[in-house]
Amino acid sequence: MLEHLALALLMALAALVCVVLVPPLRRALLTRGLFATYRKVLPQMSDTERDALQAGTVWWEGELFRGNPDWGKLLAYPKPVLTADEQAFLDLQVVEACRLVDDWNVTHERHDLSPDAWRYIKEKGFLGMIIPRRYGGLEFSAYAHSQVVTRLSTRSSALAVSVMVPNSLGPAELLLHYGSEAQKDYYLPRLARGLEVPAFALTSPWAGSDAAAIPDCGIVCRGPWGGREVVGMRVTWDKRYITLAPVCTLLGLAFRLFDPERLLGGEVDVGITCALVPHDHPGVEIGRRHFPLNAMFMNGPTRGRDVFMPLDFIIGGPKMAGQGWRMLMECLAAGRSISLPSSNTGMAQLTVRAVGGYARVRSQFKTAVGRFEGVEEALTRMGAYTYLMDAARKMTAGAVDLGEKPSVVSAIAKYHVTERGRQVVNDGMDVIGGKGICLGPSNFLGRAYQQMPISITVEGANILTRSLIIFGQGALRCHPYLLREMQAAQNPDSGQGLKDFDHALWSHAAYTVRHGLRALALGLTGSHFVAVGAAVAPETRRYYQQLTRFSAAFSFLSDIALLVLGGSVKRREKLSARLGDILSEMYLMSAALKRFEDDGRPAADAPLLHWALWDSMYRAQQAFDGVIANFPNRFIGRFLHRAIFPWGHPYVVPSDDLGHQAARLLIEPSPTRDRLTAETYLPDSLDEPLGAIEAALVATLEAEPVEARIREAERQGRFAGDPVANVRDIARAAVAAGVIGAEEFALMERRNALRDAVVRVDDFPFDLGAAAGQGA
Ligand SMILES: Cc1cc2nc3c(=O)[nH]c(=O)nc-3n(C[C@H](O)[C@H](O)[C@H](O)COP(=O)(O)OP(=O)(O)OC[C@H]3O[C@@H](n4cnc5c(N)ncnc54)[C@H](O)[C@@H]3O)c2cc1C
């Protein structure tokens, strides 16, 4: 009986294999039915969704997605470098711009950059870094642009954002790609020299994240322009949150264009259109400001009602009417790769530099606070995350310089660098206690803390980016077969569609099975036998192997998830977010490993690298678990768990010992600390908070051996009964008791004076300066 059953099963299997291996048979017997079902369940995609999903290029994330990354390829991407001109600009003009800005004056007293600072950044071309030289711009690489924004962000958010926004998605970028020659020749030289200040207005009160739903509209009609009647547009808009709008001279405006009389000869609903409107064009309302969390970059609403403008205002002229959304989606990746990743890395570098120093200078319980294990935990995260953020920022800017428009990678960088940045600043605030809480000229972190949510919200709010974009767009763009299956299903020629679908579907099936088997094999062997295929630092070889394992498991898991969830994956945001987390952690780990190689494998930096990688591996494992534990089908969930983690969970949190090594790097001067905070603007004045910390750190280290002797004498009871033997004045008791000499006393006094300057917080008159015109 059993023999008969086995024989029948074997024959059924053989028949199935025959069917699968003979395409005409396979199409007729298997694929046709699946094709019909797939066409029925395939979710409808709007044009704007399609434009968003298909925009940009696939880069390194494609390798990670497809299950078997080629590490040689990663390490062969050139290390981003600056030209001599770019380096000189960083050393001179950027430093001078930082010097011209006093953040307290900007955020509390003036509520704006000073006229000198504005003049300087306009004249020196800061607003035209992405504009080619032939138009008078600086034509910087994406990497140089990122370096500039990073450094400015260590000084003042108003300064950084005022520079960042004109170089991100907006008039200059759109003109460069889509502008008519006349528009480029007129506007680009003016933008490059700061004669025009641009803003770009997309967001409306009704449409924030869902920006394609903007109700702002233009109606094609005839109207007076230049003394005669022309075909133009009557545009009505109500925009908010627009950076630089209050001071802009050139407003980029997105609205939906309608042509009810078909004067343009096409559809009535022409689509989203981008125009450039001079600020003094009749009917344009700008000038009012929002007040975004005490950040003083210009930000405000703009409105207009039935404002007539010629079709020439459309970027690219009338032929580009209706192309606005595609234009925006195509250009989004470059700016998103640079602006927020750079500004948040800048804030993190400042935090690490200043808080690390503070933690050594500030002492409680007769110990530098940075030496307490609890504080060490925070310092470790700060250091390792800053290392990781900087690596991701550089690698992503490098991709843009390679000609990529890395849409998925830019979303990963935006989300994860800003989230890690928030953690670094929060940790920094905890370490410095009340010093961070009392605002004033000597507070170096309070403003960054206040303004962190801005980074989280802009350029694609983080929750949406994580839940909808990273995996959603990643799957469609990186998967070798998914898009081909969808395109085949939508082919109006159903015969050809079936053929293409058949090919994609069965290749897809083979791909899934292959990665399933690889994931299991790599899990069983702990990925020890993976050939890395590139010359890597020996101490990092295992990470490449682990990443290959993650990649194979991710490919398998995401395929099964897509198979089971189908079109509903779009609504299952929690699962989609966790799948995106795995892809993101793999990208961040790749960036950190590449940084280590690009930096020349500095052994002293290794604790930061190791901690960041263990943390990322652990996070990736948690994300796998989150998907598997919540898999809609329990049975498949259990099967996935066995296939991916056959021996249980191999990844643990980074060790305390490693954390200790990493934290120590932050609290004393070293080449590692300098590399980690390389872009931080370091003022040399002791009146500046960071200048004082730098000097106090050196003085603290010099005084530590003396202090150790004093403490030893104290333990021996040498100062018993001396009223000055207190936490502040003990050096006086020590010199009086002959424990230290005059020179050592001077060392202690200098340390104490600098420490005083560092730990001091500001106080104000009762009305906080309102009567003197300096209220917040
Ligand atoms: C300081 C500042 C500067 C800005 N500068 C500009 C500018 O220069 N030009 C411009 O056009 N705009 C600008 N913006 C607008 C910015 O891009 C939007 O704020 C952003 O797109 C989010 O829109 P919203 O604030 O209306 O939030 P909402 O869209 O109301 O979102 C609220 C929450 O819901 C989440 N969410 C929404 N949809 C989904 C979804 N499908 N799945 C999961 N979560 C979702 C979001 O992540 C967010 O957490 C700026 C905003 C600020 C605050």
Side-chain angles (χ1 to χ4, degrees), residues 105 141 271 283 334 347 409 459 524 622 681 740 762 764:
N105 173 258
S141 64
M347 278 197 251
V409 157
E459 290 201 6
L524 286 171
Q622 278 185 311
Y681 170 74
I740 60 173
D762 302 285
F764 298 90

PDB file of all heavy atoms in Angstrom, residues 105 141 271 283 334 347 409 459 524 622 681 740 762 764:
ATOM      1  N   ASN A 105      22.693  84.584  19.496  1.00  0.00           N
ATOM      2  CA  ASN A 105      22.233  85.832  18.894  1.00  0.00           C
ATOM      3  C   ASN A 105      21.172  85.532  17.829  1.00  0.00           C
ATOM      4  O   ASN A 105      20.149  86.209  17.732  1.00  0.00           O
ATOM      5  CB  ASN A 105      23.445  86.560  18.277  1.00  0.00           C
ATOM      6  CG  ASN A 105      23.036  87.783  17.488  1.00  0.00           C
ATOM      7  OD1 ASN A 105      22.994  87.754  16.264  1.00  0.00           O
ATOM      8  ND2 ASN A 105      22.718  88.856  18.197  1.00  0.00           N
ATOM      9  N   SER A 141      31.048  68.663  -5.894  1.00  0.00           N
ATOM     10  CA  SER A 141      30.565  67.279  -5.890  1.00  0.00           C
ATOM     11  C   SER A 141      29.545  67.135  -4.762  1.00  0.00           C
ATOM     12  O   SER A 141      29.483  67.974  -3.844  1.00  0.00           O
ATOM     13  CB  SER A 141      31.734  66.331  -5.626  1.00  0.00           C
ATOM     14  OG  SER A 141      32.252  66.581  -4.331  1.00  0.00           O
ATOM     15  N   GLY A 271      -2.380  67.931 -14.786  1.00  0.00           N
ATOM     16  CA  GLY A 271      -1.527  67.285 -13.776  1.00  0.00           C
ATOM     17  C   GLY A 271      -0.678  68.280 -13.008  1.00  0.00           C
ATOM     18  O   GLY A 271      -0.717  69.496 -13.253  1.00  0.00           O
ATOM     19  N   GLY A 283       0.102  89.664  -6.581  1.00  0.00           N
ATOM     20  CA  GLY A 283      -0.756  88.635  -5.982  1.00  0.00           C
ATOM     21  C   GLY A 283      -0.012  87.634  -5.122  1.00  0.00           C
ATOM     22  O   GLY A 283      -0.638  86.880  -4.373  1.00  0.00           O
ATOM     23  N   ALA A 334      18.677  62.992  -4.918  1.00  0.00           N
ATOM     24  CA  ALA A 334      19.972  63.655  -4.700  1.00  0.00           C
ATOM     25  C   ALA A 334      19.942  64.492  -3.424  1.00  0.00           C
ATOM     26  O   ALA A 334      20.800  64.341  -2.546  1.00  0.00           O
ATOM     27  CB  ALA A 334      20.322  64.518  -5.898  1.00  0.00           C
ATOM     28  N   MET A 347      25.261  67.559  13.618  1.00  0.00           N
ATOM     29  CA  MET A 347      24.775  67.718  15.007  1.00  0.00           C
ATOM     30  C   MET A 347      25.357  66.616  15.901  1.00  0.00           C
ATOM     31  O   MET A 347      25.699  66.862  17.053  1.00  0.00           O
ATOM     32  CB  MET A 347      23.254  67.662  15.042  1.00  0.00           C
ATOM     33  CG  MET A 347      22.614  68.977  14.688  1.00  0.00           C
ATOM     34  SD  MET A 347      20.897  68.975  15.212  1.00  0.00           S
ATOM     35  CE  MET A 347      20.088  68.895  13.655  1.00  0.00           C
ATOM     36  N   VAL A 409      18.110  54.111  -1.225  1.00  0.00           N
ATOM     37  CA  VAL A 409      19.233  54.401  -0.323  1.00  0.00           C
ATOM     38  C   VAL A 409      19.060  55.779   0.331  1.00  0.00           C
ATOM     39  O   VAL A 409      19.355  55.960   1.515  1.00  0.00           O
ATOM     40  CB  VAL A 409      20.539  54.328  -1.148  1.00  0.00           C
ATOM     41  CG1 VAL A 409      21.634  55.128  -0.511  1.00  0.00           C
ATOM     42  CG2 VAL A 409      20.966  52.883  -1.322  1.00  0.00           C
ATOM     43  N   GLU A 459      11.252  66.276   4.523  1.00  0.00           N
ATOM     44  CA  GLU A 459      11.760  65.433   3.420  1.00  0.00           C
ATOM     45  C   GLU A 459      11.288  63.989   3.547  1.00  0.00           C
ATOM     46  O   GLU A 459      12.070  63.047   3.383  1.00  0.00           O
ATOM     47  CB  GLU A 459      13.291  65.523   3.313  1.00  0.00           C
ATOM     48  CG  GLU A 459      13.735  66.890   2.816  1.00  0.00           C
ATOM     49  CD  GLU A 459      15.131  66.908   2.212  1.00  0.00           C
ATOM     50  OE1 GLU A 459      15.761  65.845   2.059  1.00  0.00           O
ATOM     51  OE2 GLU A 459      15.587  68.013   1.875  1.00  0.00           O
ATOM     52  N   LEU A 524      22.752  27.012   9.158  1.00  0.00           N
ATOM     53  CA  LEU A 524      23.277  25.782   9.771  1.00  0.00           C
ATOM     54  C   LEU A 524      24.781  25.860   9.994  1.00  0.00           C
ATOM     55  O   LEU A 524      25.308  25.347  10.977  1.00  0.00           O
ATOM     56  CB  LEU A 524      22.946  24.575   8.875  1.00  0.00           C
ATOM     57  CG  LEU A 524      21.478  24.116   8.881  1.00  0.00           C
ATOM     58  CD1 LEU A 524      21.232  23.080   7.800  1.00  0.00           C
ATOM     59  CD2 LEU A 524      21.096  23.566  10.259  1.00  0.00           C
ATOM     60  N   GLN A 622      16.310  41.305  15.402  1.00  0.00           N
ATOM     61  CA  GLN A 622      15.014  41.655  16.004  1.00  0.00           C
ATOM     62  C   GLN A 622      13.964  41.942  14.928  1.00  0.00           C
ATOM     63  O   GLN A 622      12.800  41.588  15.070  1.00  0.00           O
ATOM     64  CB  GLN A 622      15.166  42.892  16.880  1.00  0.00           C
ATOM     65  CG  GLN A 622      15.700  42.582  18.261  1.00  0.00           C
ATOM     66  CD  GLN A 622      15.720  43.825  19.115  1.00  0.00           C
ATOM     67  OE1 GLN A 622      16.224  44.865  18.678  1.00  0.00           O
ATOM     68  NE2 GLN A 622      15.201  43.744  20.306  1.00  0.00           N
ATOM     69  N   TYR A 681      33.182  72.451  13.777  1.00  0.00           N
ATOM     70  CA  TYR A 681      33.830  73.770  13.819  1.00  0.00           C
ATOM     71  C   TYR A 681      34.301  74.008  15.251  1.00  0.00           C
ATOM     72  O   TYR A 681      33.506  73.987  16.192  1.00  0.00           O
ATOM     73  CB  TYR A 681      32.834  74.861  13.396  1.00  0.00           C
ATOM     74  CG  TYR A 681      33.347  76.251  13.655  1.00  0.00           C
ATOM     75  CD1 TYR A 681      34.349  76.806  12.853  1.00  0.00           C
ATOM     76  CD2 TYR A 681      32.857  77.018  14.716  1.00  0.00           C
ATOM     77  CE1 TYR A 681      34.841  78.076  13.094  1.00  0.00           C
ATOM     78  CE2 TYR A 681      33.349  78.299  14.965  1.00  0.00           C
ATOM     79  CZ  TYR A 681      34.344  78.809  14.155  1.00  0.00           C
ATOM     80  OH  TYR A 681      34.840  80.060  14.398  1.00  0.00           O
ATOM     81  N   ILE A 740      51.076  69.213  47.471  1.00  0.00           N
ATOM     82  CA  ILE A 740      51.470  69.618  46.116  1.00  0.00           C
ATOM     83  C   ILE A 740      52.247  70.917  46.199  1.00  0.00           C
ATOM     84  O   ILE A 740      52.132  71.669  47.175  1.00  0.00           O
ATOM     85  CB  ILE A 740      50.232  69.798  45.192  1.00  0.00           C
ATOM     86  CG1 ILE A 740      49.268  70.868  45.736  1.00  0.00           C
ATOM     87  CG2 ILE A 740      49.521  68.479  44.979  1.00  0.00           C
ATOM     88  CD1 ILE A 740      48.121  71.221  44.795  1.00  0.00           C
ATOM     89  N   ASP A 762      23.687  79.958  32.131  1.00  0.00           N
ATOM     90  CA  ASP A 762      23.337  81.383  32.096  1.00  0.00           C
ATOM     91  C   ASP A 762      22.146  81.668  32.997  1.00  0.00           C
ATOM     92  O   ASP A 762      21.291  80.810  33.224  1.00  0.00           O
ATOM     93  CB  ASP A 762      22.997  81.767  30.659  1.00  0.00           C
ATOM     94  CG  ASP A 762      24.159  81.476  29.739  1.00  0.00           C
ATOM     95  OD1 ASP A 762      25.139  82.236  29.759  1.00  0.00           O
ATOM     96  OD2 ASP A 762      24.101  80.448  29.026  1.00  0.00           O
ATOM     97  N   PHE A 764      19.266  85.096  33.817  1.00  0.00           N
ATOM     98  CA  PHE A 764      18.713  86.269  33.141  1.00  0.00           C
ATOM     99  C   PHE A 764      17.908  87.106  34.125  1.00  0.00           C
ATOM    100  O   PHE A 764      17.532  86.606  35.202  1.00  0.00           O
ATOM    101  CB  PHE A 764      17.779  85.809  32.004  1.00  0.00           C
ATOM    102  CG  PHE A 764      18.488  85.013  30.943  1.00  0.00           C
ATOM    103  CD1 PHE A 764      18.591  83.628  31.040  1.00  0.00           C
ATOM    104  CD2 PHE A 764      19.085  85.644  29.858  1.00  0.00           C
ATOM    105  CE1 PHE A 764      19.249  82.887  30.076  1.00  0.00           C
ATOM    106  CE2 PHE A 764      19.755  84.906  28.885  1.00  0.00           C
ATOM    107  CZ  PHE A 764      19.836  83.536  28.996  1.00  0.00           C
TER     108      PHE A 764
END
